[in-house]
Amino acid sequence: MQPSGLLPLPLTTTSYTMASSSVSAVLSLATLLVLTATLVRSQPAAAPPAPAGPLNLTAILVKGGNFNSFIRLLQQTRVDEQLNSQLNNSFNGLTIFAPTDNAFGALKAGTLNSLSQQEQVELVLYHVLPRYYSLPIFQTASNPLPTQASGKTGVFKLNVTTTMNNQANVSTGVVETPINTPLYSEFPLAVYPVEKVLLPYEIFGPQPPAAAPAPSTKKPNSPPSSSAGEGANSPSEGSTGSGASLKGREVGWIFIAGVGLLGIAAGNLL
């Protein structure tokens, strides 16, 4: 029993207190969400990843190291500019066989200096295939493969042979060397180090003998005719006529002298 004089608290007061607490919690949560959203909006948006720059063959070779001689030859012939332009504007891609510095060091002394400027360009372009080849693609490729070099005989070509364990060799008809693990292989570019400079057969192969000179069409000088020689040794027409006249006169005088002698002889007989 409750003590007399005390009345129970009305239920409405308790409900009000609980409602007030709920409202305060909701307001606090709302305030927190607003502040969080404000902080998020105030932070700068993350920058998108920078697009990859254009492919540069020289930069790839420099990063790989041990290709200084090939880089120098690329720059001297200005083939590097041509290839970089092709790389960024080609649908087929390119494949580069990059001789190491040891490969150039193994060349016979004076080999490069003996080449003309045009032949040096052809030598560099002979190391370039005009499409992208991964090692598996080499297995299905048909030999001989055209290169980007060409000359009087047409496009220079080479052969690539593969084995069952994904090993490959490249042959020019003058030299043969294995194709090493790619330095770079992502379309549109594949770069394979090689331990020999690829010497094109068209430049370094046995040269055909020089053609014999064509016979001269000029007629040789005619020897002096026999008549001319005879003319030199015989009297001229005028001298011949004079000789005949003298002979005729001699015959006439002889005839007259003979007649005279006969007359004298006849007188003596009488």
Side-chain angles (χ1 to χ4, degrees), residues 8-101:
L9 292 174
L11 295 177
T12 55
T13 301
T14 303
S15 301
Y16 176 79
T17 301
M18 295 176 63
S20 298
S21 299
S22 299
V23 170
S24 298
V26 170
L27 290 175
S28 298
L29 180 59
T31 302
L32 181 60
L33 291 174
V34 170
L35 291 175
T36 302
T38 302
L39 290 174
V40 171
R41 286 196 301 269
S42 64
Q43 292 179 351
L55 281 173
N56 187 291
L57 174 61
T58 305
I60 293 172
L61 293 173
V62 169
K63 185 177 180 180
N66 198 30
F67 299 99
N68 295 321
S69 298
F70 189 48
I71 293 172
R72 184 163 53 250
L73 193 56
L74 282 167
Q75 293 174 340
Q76 287 176 352
T77 57
R78 307 190 71 173
V79 173
D80 59 332
E81 299 176 6
Q82 173 186 336
L83 297 181
N84 287 330
S85 176
Q86 284 184 260
L87 280 174
N88 296 283
N89 297 280
S90 173
F91 295 103
N92 296 322
L94 295 175
T95 298
I96 313 293
F97 294 114
T100 62
D101 289 336

Side-chain angles (χ1 to χ4, degrees), residues 182-203:
L183 178 67
Y184 185 96
S185 183
E186 184 176 344
F187 186 85
L189 175 64
V191 180
Y192 296 97
V194 289
E195 293 301 329
K196 290 184 179 180
V197 178
L198 304 183
L199 304 178
Y201 186 88
E202 288 79 0
I203 298 177

